[in-house]
Amino acid sequence: MARYERPETWAKCYPEAAGDRQSPIDIQQVNLKSLNTNKKLTWKYIAENTEDVTNTGYCWKVHVNGEGSELNGGPLEDKYVLEQFHCHWGESNDQGSEHTVNGQKFAGELHLVHWNTTRYHSFGEAAKHPDGVCVIGVFLKTGKRNLELDKITAQLPKIEFKGQSAKIGVPLNPGLFIPNESGYYTYQGSLTTPPCSECVIWIVFKEPMEVSHEQLTVFRNLKCYCKEDSCPCDEFQGFVKNNFRPTLPLGKREIRECRQ
Ligand code: BO1
Ligand code: ZN
């Protein structure tokens, strides 16, 4: 994406965005089936492998060296490794999440993006297959300051402009963002930004993580344009906020619930 186009226009350039397995969705109680598995969902991340944080012009994104990380069990048949994590947020605390629950929006949503290393050799290859990617979604709600997230917000003033990156500099365990003892919802969907590939097994936790209003304010100070006036990208002004895609129809899909 050269610049942030409205989601309604994505399908012109990215035909998959008009498909019938798109994300996000509204997770409605009436549609839930229970997840029948005796495999517990488990994850392991290496705090030292969290590398740098980038202002993409659309969100902040932390790149991870997936070595030694592992996500499996629950609805997953294979082993997945962490590639990156990023957030979506609103201009105010009453919106910002991509998924909604019975129509309710949260202040934001963290996405931990994994790909299937049992079957595929790269993220790019995995993204061409229906079981290639697994994204864990965790809702953000305002409350206590999140100390692990502080390691990211501490860097954001250094990457005010699109395209800038900074080292995290300290070990950061993304597993600490995942709520303990929380059930989750799972369904088959897509990437929520172009190319909107229909390759994602979504796992959306029921329990939100708490972040402070001040931490969200730091997110909202990121700019969606480059520092150089000469930059060819055609975005000149504005802050990164409301970077969530509206929900799309569930269609014939099922949402399965794991009550924990
Ligand atoms: S999301 O988690 O559904 N919001 C999402 C949306 C888009 C991507 C990932 C997650 N995009 C892909 C890019 C790839 C890149 C990969 C990992 O992210 O299409 O080019 O390798 O960073
Ligand atoms: Zn996302």
Side-chain angles (χ1 to χ4, degrees):
M1 269 196 300
R3 69 192 288 271
Y4 181 68
E5 308 272 1
R6 282 179 306 114
E8 298 71 37
T9 69
W10 289 349
K12 279 191 287 181
C13 296
Y14 306 95
E16 275 198 275
D20 54 11
R21 173 190 158 158
Q22 289 291 296
S23 296
I25 57 166
D26 181 33
I27 299 164
Q28 291 180 9
Q29 198 68 39
V30 290
N31 292 319
L32 301 180
K33 305 263 172 358
S34 73
L35 177 67
N36 294 313
T37 177
N38 42 29
K39 293 178 293 180
K40 194 172 154 55
L41 180 70
T42 58
W43 54 87
K44 181 182 100 182
Y45 302 120
I46 313 290
E48 286 73 21
N49 287 2
T50 305
E51 297 179 330
D52 42 40
V53 58
T54 304
N55 175 344
T56 68
Y58 181 76
C59 64
W60 58 256
K61 176 171 90 177
V62 174
H63 184 250
V64 178
N65 166 0
E67 243 169 83
S69 78
E70 204 167 318
L71 172 69
N72 56 32
L76 306 173
E77 296 293 337
D78 299 319
K79 185 184 122 177
Y80 291 70
V81 300
L82 186 62
E83 173 75 19
Q84 51 113 319
F85 57 91
H86 62 268
C87 248
H88 302 260
W89 60 89
E91 61 186 338
S92 52
N93 297 342
D94 59 355
Q95 58 182 331
S97 66
E98 298 216 288
H99 291 90
T100 56
V101 180
N102 300 317
Q104 193 204 337
K105 294 174 171 169
F106 291 81
E109 190 170 326
L110 173 77
H111 288 159
L112 297 149
V113 183
H114 309 73
W115 59 279
N116 184 332
T117 49
T118 304
R119 291 176 190 274
Y120 311 115
H121 296 98
S122 66
F123 188 96
E125 188 201 347
K128 297 185 179 114
H129 297 272
D131 58 354
V133 175
C134 175
V135 184
I136 291 187
V138 183
F139 294 121
L140 269 55
K141 77 163 196 196
T142 47
K144 285 194 303 286
R145 185 168 130 222
N146 184 303
L147 296 180
E148 210 61 10
L149 187 65
D150 260 353
K151 298 174 183 174
I152 296 169
T153 51
Q155 301 304 320
L156 296 186
K158 298 182 201 158
I159 59 162
E160 208 178 333
F161 296 98
K162 177 180 175 178
Q164 294 181 323
S165 295
K167 289 256 167 296
I168 304 280
V170 287
L172 184 162
N173 180 2
L176 296 176
F177 296 139
I178 302 178
N180 277 323
E181 320 277 318
S182 168
Y184 58 82
Y185 309 106
T186 180
Y187 77 98
Q188 311 233 326
S190 73
L191 301 177
T192 65
T193 62
C196 300
S197 316
E198 297 190 326
C199 60
V200 183
I201 299 175
W202 275 96
I203 296 176
V204 179
F205 278 86
K206 295 183 180 181
E207 207 60 59
M209 63 183 252
E210 279 188 36
V211 306
S212 67
H213 176 78
E214 289 69 29
Q215 289 179 312
L216 286 167
T217 302
V218 179
F219 291 8
R220 293 174 188 135
N221 280 328
L222 292 174
K223 298 182 171 80
C224 61
Y225 54 95
C226 301
K227 186 172 183 185
E228 298 75 27
D229 290 336
S230 60
C231 174
C233 73
D234 42 6
E235 195 73 67
F236 299 115
Q237 54 185 9
F239 293 93
V240 182
K241 59 184 188 189
N242 296 340
N243 53 355
F244 56 92
R245 187 186 195 189
T247 58
L248 291 140
L250 178 63
K252 295 199 172 69
R253 293 175 287 178
E254 284 188 346
I255 310 172
R256 288 172 299 156
E257 177 185 31
C258 174
R259 288 172 178 273
Q260 175 63 41

